[in-house]
């Protein structure tokens, strides 16, 4: 698709070959555990490296300070995930962050403020694509959450097969869109309902709740809460357990459970884009977003 064509690397070359040959897109650094002189395969905002176990890749969001889901990050993430899916030597992915204290702060509000309708449409299509790719991926996806994960960051984690969260009360997770004066799209809602149930999701969405680890575990938003220094090792153990299941059986089961939810967006994709453009273009929404961004700038300054 046009969204990724400009940055696409030919998929005939296995990603593992690129990883171990030290081929880099953007910045590349020596991996800590890749062995054999392996280097990270990296775009500017998404780092991919071989995991310590066979068949596992580690994807790290690397867009400081808070891994906001900019158009650039969304595009690079989809490309990176597509490469992994087309390299059959990888069967599982550990998704985490390269920014301390944050998984992802969610949608980049600067992409939604002060731009034209064409940009809003392009941006929302990229957000849709990210979710569809994650939610329906044939790979085993385990989120290792060592930081805050509101809004779109929460959606990314919920789209994985399993979530491990660090036991730190400063780290919160949830779809808090109403606190910003905006509404979570129906497919955000569907993903949350499928994870924690209708009543809990209704309350969480209306109030824009952000759950600390213990509460996120209690409501079913995450599957395990562990000490922060054990998040990655626990996630790798989970990957091993899931990858012990024959791929074809697990993939067909995943599709059976998730395809109807994804198809709902696919059938309404253009209408969803137009609804987003219409909504975010309203003067009242633009003023609300501008006020929130100004507040963040003052806080940061």
């Amino acid at each position: 698709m046009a969204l990724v064509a400009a940055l696409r690397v030919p998929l005939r070359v296995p990603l593992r070959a690129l990883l171990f040959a030290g081929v880099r897109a953007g910045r590349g650094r020596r991996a800590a555990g890749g062995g054999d002189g392996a280097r990270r395969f990296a775009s500017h905002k998404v780092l991919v490296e071989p995991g310590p176990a066979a068949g596992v890749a580690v994807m790290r969001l690397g867009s400081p300070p808070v891994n906001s889901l900019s158009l650039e990050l969304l595009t690079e993430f989809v490309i990176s995930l597509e490469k992994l899916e087309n390299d059959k030597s990888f069967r599982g992915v550990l998704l985490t962050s390269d920014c301390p204290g944050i998984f992802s702060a969610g949608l980049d509000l600067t992409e939604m403020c002060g731009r034209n309708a064409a940009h809003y449409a392009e941006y929302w299509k990229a957000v849709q694509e990210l979710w569809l790719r994650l939610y329906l991926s044939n790979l085993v996806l385990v989120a290792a959450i060592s930081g805050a994960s509101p809004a779109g960051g929460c959606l990314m984690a919920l789209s994985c097969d399993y979530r491990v969260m660090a036991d730190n009360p400063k780290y919160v997770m949830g779809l808090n869109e109403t606190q910003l004066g905006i509404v979570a799209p129906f497919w955000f809602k569907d993903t949350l309902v499928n994870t924690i149930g209708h009543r809990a999701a209704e309350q969480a969405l209306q109030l824009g709740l952000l759950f600390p680890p213990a509460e996120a575990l209690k409501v079913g938003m995450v599957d395990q809460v562990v000490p922060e220094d054990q998040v990655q090792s626990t996630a790798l153990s989970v990957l091993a357990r899931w990858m012990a299941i024959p791929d074809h059986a697990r993939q067909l089961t995943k599709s059976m459970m998730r395809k109807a939810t994804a198809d709902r967006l696919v059938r309404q994709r253009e209408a969803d884009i137009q609804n987003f453009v219409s909504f975010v273009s309203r003067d009242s929404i633009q003023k609300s977003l501008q006020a929130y961004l100004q507040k963040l700038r003052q806080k940061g300054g």
Side-chain angles (χ1 to χ4, degrees):
M1 55 184 292
L3 177 66
V4 299
L7 294 174
R8 192 183 304 276
V9 172
L11 298 176
R12 295 188 301 273
V13 182
L15 179 58
R16 183 169 289 273
L18 296 178
L19 282 163
F20 284 88
V23 177
R24 295 174 292 173
R27 61 190 177 97
R29 300 197 303 264
R30 185 169 300 276
D36 300 324
R39 289 181 179 270
R40 293 179 177 181
F41 178 79
S43 60
H44 293 290
K45 298 181 181 296
V46 180
L47 302 157
V48 181
E49 61 185 351
V56 173
V58 178
M59 294 183 73
R60 299 182 188 275
L61 303 178
S63 183
V66 294
N67 287 331
S68 294
L69 301 179
S70 64
L71 182 59
E72 184 180 6
L73 188 150
L74 293 168
T75 304
E76 292 179 7
F77 188 93
V78 168
I79 293 168
S80 297
L81 186 61
E82 184 180 24
K83 290 174 188 173
L84 289 172
E85 289 175 332
N86 281 275
D87 186 326
K88 301 307 179 184
S89 61
F90 290 103
R91 299 172 55 224
V93 174
L94 187 155
L95 176 60
T96 189
S97 168
D98 212 34
C99 298
I102 190 78
F103 182 73
S104 169
L107 302 185
D108 188 340
L109 298 185
T110 65
E111 302 278 11
M112 302 162 54
C113 190
R115 309 291 189 104
N116 59 34
H119 182 86
Y120 297 146
E122 180 184 15
Y123 180 65
W124 199 243
K125 187 174 184 180
V127 177
Q128 292 176 333
E129 187 69 13
L130 173 80
W131 179 71
L132 289 169
R133 288 279 187 170
L134 271 176
Y135 199 65
L136 295 177
S137 177
N138 279 330
L139 296 165
V140 178
L141 297 168
V142 175
I145 307 165
S146 294
S149 185
C154 178
L155 180 74
M156 290 185 73
L158 293 177
S159 301
C160 294
D161 298 295
Y162 198 95
R163 288 159 292 284
V164 181
M165 190 173 189
D167 190 7
N168 185 328
K170 294 181 179 179
Y171 301 161
V172 293
M173 180 178 180
L175 298 178
N176 63 321
E177 281 78 1
T178 55
Q179 293 190 27
L180 308 181
I182 57 180
V183 178
F186 71 86
W187 41 284
F188 282 51
K189 179 267 295 180
D190 289 345
T191 307
L192 185 62
V193 169
N194 290 350
T195 306
I196 69 173
H198 191 280
R199 176 54 185 153
E202 180 180 9
Q203 181 170 307
L205 287 168
Q206 288 198 46
L207 296 176
L209 297 180
L210 290 171
F211 298 87
E215 294 181 22
L217 180 64
K218 183 177 180 180
V219 79
M221 191 170 284
V222 297
D223 300 291
Q224 279 185 261
V225 171
V226 300
E228 193 157 0
D229 61 356
Q230 297 177 24
V231 170
Q232 183 157 323
S233 62
T234 301
L236 289 169
S237 295
V238 170
L239 273 166
R241 179 157 58 92
W242 282 62
M243 289 167 60
I245 304 299
D247 282 342
H248 69 282
R250 183 193 55 76
Q251 291 166 358
L252 287 171
T253 302
K254 182 174 182 176
S255 178
M256 177 177 64
M257 297 297 296
R258 295 190 172 200
K259 190 172 184 300
T261 301
D263 282 349
R264 189 174 175 215
L265 173 60
V266 172
R267 289 192 301 267
Q268 305 178 61
R269 192 165 184 181
E270 289 305 318
D272 183 62
I273 291 172
Q274 293 308 311
N275 286 340
F276 172 78
V277 172
S278 176
F279 179 78
V280 81
S281 297
R282 295 177 188 174
D283 286 342
S284 59
I285 299 303
Q286 285 294 304
K287 289 178 181 177
S288 177
L289 291 174
Q290 288 167 5
Y292 187 76
L293 284 170
Q294 183 61 30
K295 183 179 178 181
L296 289 179
R297 292 187 188 104
Q298 291 173 350
K299 186 177 180 181

